[in-house]
Amino acid sequence: MDSKGNAYTTCQHWRLDVDAEGLTWVTLDKRNESTNSLSSAVMDELAVLLDGFDRHPPQGVIFRSGKAAGFIAGADIQEFTQLDTPAKGIELVTRGWQLFARLASVPYPTLALVRGHCLGGGLELALACRYLLAVDEPATRMGLPEVMLGIVPGWGGMLRLPERIGPQAALDMMLTGKTVDARKARRLGLADECVPPRVMDQAAAMLVLSNQPRRRPPLLQRLLNGPFKALVARTARKQVARRARAEHYPAPYAIIDIWARHHGNALAAPQLIDSIVRSPTARNLVRVFFMQERLKSLGKGGTFQAKRVHVVGAGVMGGDIAAWCAQRGLTVTLQDQGMERIAPALQRAYAAWGKRIRDARELRNVMDRLIPDPDGHGARQADVVIEAIFENLEAKHALLQDLEAKIRSDAVLATNTSSLRIEDLRSPLARPERLIGIHFFNPVARMPLVEVVAAEGSDPEVVQRGIAFVRQIDRLPLPVRSAPGFLVNAVLGPYMLEAMRAVDEGLTPATVDEAMLAFGMPMGPIELIDMVGLDVAVAAGKSLAGAGAEPPRCLLEHFNAGYLGKKAGRGFYEYRAGRPVKGPVGTVPAGLAERLVRPLLERSRQLVNEGVVADADLADAGVIFGTGFAPFTGGPLNYLRSRHA
């Protein structure tokens, strides 16, 4: 290596520089990619770098990213799709485990300078360094989200994360896929220091040169990671069992077992690793990952960037849409018929943000961006205008006409309707082609999907701006054609109808729900109806039941008794502290789950055939991210194909 550190000219993805202090700065800048990932080529080159450092030990090494997007997003997910034999799966795990074990044992000090995302294999690389310095800005997030892909952190994460922050916090991150920001990483002990961007290079150099020992977790955490492992593992299994069944999601149970029984060494359980890496669940969750990336990509490539949003309607949906947009950095004006209608939305937003935003100044800034606007003055300056009032055609006609006369000619005009056709809503407009649907789901802060609805003759530029806006606020845009229920509500309707028919036949709501929970749904269909609201279900009864058919008897009986669902404290279930009281579950009849899900599957296929959604992959993505349909199946149409394979 020469004085500039340029001996490794064969490396395509790594760049080396040596500073005046003798520190070697190793920059990962993956060739022809906007984001760093640890492909086999990147890992092979890292091994070459370590070979060189063995021959000429550096004063210290600082790993950093050459990408604006962040540190390292993780392993190259595309390579997971090529693991078609047990040997390939074991080879993938072996390569990463041995390479990072080698990095962890080098005699010279090493540091990972983490700015932006640091996920999966990226965090495992950082954990193999002696120090981790986190840059304090919102984009910095660290985590081991492999469980979200149905796999495990096999390159040392299951060993080193519990050693660094204690097993309880480590298992919480690994079993849920949660990420932590720079400040929390510092509090947990994951990061040695947390510094602002302007001093990150100086702080990194000082920390490496200090040669100070790392902070050790408290004694109790060290005991829990040693003699008391079995106790922690038992508790963790119980917590996982409340969220995921082992037959559907084996990865979290494997993480617990490998940590507790094999000290986090995945290579000590090769058969288990093979069964996880090549399982149908992992294959389908990787499929879901790529479908999610496809939805994200739909909003790229354009120049539209909203700064101001105007929302009309401060009810639950409108108020929460406005709050979400303000939280994502936009200036939002919220209009309704008076401050008494807008105030509850502001209170909900403040209560929700207060739980997530600890910094008082940041909380105040977010609230300042959410502006009550009873007279609707903000519509004139807005880049995006969203109508979110009650589902009444005449009222929406009057409002949309009024808005069209006020707003800028280049503003996006959108409706959040869930049941009315865009063609019917736009009929009185002077420029009907500019109205699109931007359909959020409740609760807005938790549901990632937003349907972007176009009718025949809609302006393609406006539709694309709507898609770009949805991505700008960190939601997944799904382009759909205007049709009753669009995609998500159109598939949920027959599914919920079939569930209520089963109740009419004498099954208890709890039994019906249990059938679908066992199938893999996050919530049973009867509880879902309670969450949606029985009044909403009755209002949509004609489209649910079909022309001339009566709504389910159980629905009408509960509605007529005033039981409107969770919001009223009672629907099919009584609610205490926001949770349903279900009582004992009866014996689930054989084949009940298949009967209940069949209408959803058939309607999904029909909507693709009708062109409401462009293709089967988009339909699967929409139903998963819009309804929570069991992700381990890969989506309803993928599930249909697998059954007939």
Side-chain angles (χ1 to χ4, degrees):
M1 181 184 301
D2 63 24
S3 61
K4 295 184 179 180
N6 292 324
Y8 305 103
T9 55
T10 58
C11 287
Q12 298 184 28
H13 307 294
W14 298 89
R15 185 174 67 250
L16 273 67
D17 298 282
V18 179
D19 65 17
E21 300 289 340
L23 294 177
T24 301
W25 296 75
V26 180
T27 305
L28 176 58
D29 194 358
K30 193 175 181 185
R31 189 176 182 183
N32 299 325
E33 299 286 348
S34 60
T35 302
N36 285 329
S37 62
L38 297 174
S39 63
S40 56
V42 170
M43 298 286 272
D44 289 344
E45 288 185 4
L46 177 57
V48 171
L49 297 183
L50 295 181
D51 289 342
F53 294 154
D54 285 346
R55 292 190 296 271
H56 305 284
Q59 181 81 9
V61 172
I62 297 172
F63 290 94
R64 62 182 175 182
S65 169
K67 305 293 187 187
F71 186 63
I72 302 172
D76 187 336
I77 307 300
Q78 197 68 50
E79 293 186 357
F80 291 161
T81 64
Q82 302 164 14
L83 304 179
D84 52 2
T85 67
K88 289 182 180 178
I90 298 301
E91 180 185 0
L92 179 71
V93 175
T94 302
R95 181 184 65 203
W97 172 270
Q98 293 181 346
L99 184 61
F100 290 166
R102 180 183 175 189
L103 175 60
S105 65
V106 297
Y108 45 86
T110 54
L111 178 144
L113 176 55
V114 174
R115 184 180 192 184
H117 56 243
C118 176
L119 305 172
L123 183 56
E124 289 180 299
L125 185 152
L127 286 167
C129 295
R130 184 181 303 180
Y131 307 113
L132 192 160
L133 183 71
V135 178
D136 186 11
E137 55 187 7
T140 299
R141 307 290 303 185
M142 285 166 264
L144 294 175
E146 284 86 349
V147 72
M148 308 297 288
L149 296 175
I151 56 177
V152 302
W155 292 350
M158 293 182 288
L159 166 68
R160 296 187 183 93
L161 188 62
E163 286 181 343
R164 191 163 289 200
I165 66 174
Q168 292 168 313
L171 287 172
D172 182 53
M173 288 178 64
M174 292 189 290
L175 299 178
T176 64
K178 288 179 184 176
T179 60
V180 297
D181 61 21
R183 295 183 186 183
K184 186 168 183 179
R186 176 68 178 86
R187 289 196 302 271
L188 289 173
L190 173 56
D192 297 272
E193 297 293 347
C194 170
V195 300
R198 66 180 184 276
V199 298
M200 60 182 185
D201 289 347
Q202 301 95 309
M206 288 176 61
L207 185 54
V208 170
L209 292 171
S210 73
N211 210 23
Q212 67 187 38
R214 292 205 79 261
R215 271 192 307 160
R216 299 181 70 194
L219 175 60
L220 176 59
Q221 293 299 328
R222 299 202 300 274
L223 291 173
L224 292 175
N225 200 39
F228 300 145
K229 270 188 176 182
L231 174 63
V232 178
R234 189 161 55 247
T235 302
R237 287 190 191 96
K238 290 179 181 177
Q239 292 172 339
V240 169
R242 297 191 192 107
R243 301 190 307 267
R245 301 182 185 228
E247 63 270 26
H248 298 153
Y249 299 99
Y253 297 91
I255 289 172
I256 297 170
D257 288 346
I258 293 170
W259 166 73
R261 299 176 182 176
H262 303 293
H263 307 292
N265 183 357
L267 296 179
Q271 291 181 331
L272 178 58
I273 287 299
D274 178 56
S275 68
I276 294 294
V277 170
R278 298 196 304 124
S279 69
T281 292
R283 183 172 61 249
N284 286 332
L285 291 180
V286 168
R287 165 184 161 77
V288 172
F289 169 82
F290 284 119
M291 291 191 302
Q292 181 179 26
E293 292 302 298
R294 180 181 174 189
L295 292 181
K296 290 179 179 179
S297 72
L298 295 176
K300 295 180 179 178
T303 58
F304 179 74
Q305 188 83 356
K307 295 180 180 178
R308 292 177 175 271
V309 177
H310 184 72
V311 179
V312 186
V316 172
M317 285 302 297
D320 288 0
I321 292 169
W324 180 259
C325 292
Q327 187 183 353
R328 306 314 297 173
L330 283 76
T331 299
V332 184
T333 44
L334 179 59
Q335 178 182 349
D336 212 309
Q337 293 176 340
M339 276 303 302
E340 69 279 1
R341 292 178 178 265
I342 300 175
L346 302 179
Q347 292 165 356
R348 281 198 316 275
Y350 185 81
W353 292 337
K355 296 176 183 177
R356 293 193 288 266
I357 302 175
R358 299 191 179 194
D359 187 289
R361 181 182 302 176
E362 182 183 352
L363 178 58
R364 185 172 62 251
N365 289 339
V366 174
M367 287 302 300
D368 286 346
R369 291 196 294 268
L370 181 56
I371 303 167
D373 184 17
D375 296 320
H377 297 305
R380 291 180 172 84
Q381 289 80 40
D383 303 297
V384 177
V385 178
I386 302 174
E387 170 275 307
I389 66 171
F390 55 98
E391 296 286 83
N392 178 278
L393 185 61
E394 290 73 22
K396 287 180 183 287
H397 275 171
L399 174 60
L400 289 169
Q401 281 183 292
D402 180 65
L403 288 171
E404 185 184 34
K406 293 179 180 177
I407 65 177
R408 299 199 323 255
S409 60
D410 62 341
V412 174
L413 179 60
T415 172
N416 185 56
T417 185
S418 59
S419 60
L420 300 174
R421 297 168 70 243
I422 303 299
E423 293 88 341
D424 296 332
L425 287 169
R426 72 184 185 180
S427 58
L429 297 182
R431 290 177 53 197
E433 71 279 359
R434 75 182 302 189
L435 180 68
I436 62 171
I438 298 182
H439 180 219
F440 292 79
F441 297 93
N442 189 29
V444 172
R446 290 174 52 194
M447 298 299 290
L449 190 81
V450 176
E451 291 174 316
V452 180
V453 189
E456 188 70 29
S458 290
D459 185 339
E461 175 62 26
V462 176
V463 175
Q464 189 55 41
R465 287 185 173 195
I467 291 171
F469 164 70
V470 171
R471 277 304 302 141
Q472 184 183 343
I473 61 171
D474 198 28
R475 284 292 174 254
L476 301 175
L478 178 71
V480 294
R481 201 185 73 197
S482 178
F486 313 132
L487 171 70
V488 172
N489 287 344
V491 304
L492 280 180
Y495 167 63
M496 294 190 291
L497 176 62
E498 192 65 28
M500 289 185 285
R501 283 177 176 155
V503 174
D504 278 351
E505 293 168 9
L507 292 176
T508 67
T511 301
V512 172
D513 278 351
E514 177 58 30
M516 296 316 300
L517 291 171
F519 177 84
M521 296 295 199
M523 178 184 293
I526 302 299
E527 186 180 348
L528 179 61
I529 294 165
D530 270 359
M531 190 177 79
V532 169
L534 275 67
D535 51 342
V536 176
V538 168
K542 291 183 179 179
S543 60
L544 278 174
E550 287 292 320
R553 187 177 66 254
C554 61
L555 174 62
L556 291 178
E557 288 175 353
H558 285 79
F559 173 76
N560 290 334
Y563 304 149
L564 302 185
K566 182 178 180 179
K567 61 190 174 187
R570 184 166 181 180
F572 283 94
Y573 300 112
E574 182 181 353
Y575 287 80
R576 297 175 187 167
R579 295 182 175 275
V581 181
K582 292 191 174 184
V585 175
T587 301
V588 177
L592 177 59
E594 290 296 328
R595 169 196 164 181
L596 296 176
V597 80
R598 189 179 304 118
L600 185 154
L601 304 177
E602 292 174 353
R603 186 70 177 125
S604 299
R605 180 162 53 188
Q606 182 182 3
L607 291 169
V608 173
N609 293 338
E610 293 174 354
V612 172
V613 64
D615 55 55
D617 282 359
L618 285 179
D620 279 343
V623 178
I624 287 173
F625 294 113
T627 76
F629 187 91
F632 76 91
T633 66
L637 297 178
N638 187 68
Y639 175 71
L640 268 177
R641 286 194 298 270
S642 68
R643 289 174 60 206
H644 297 141

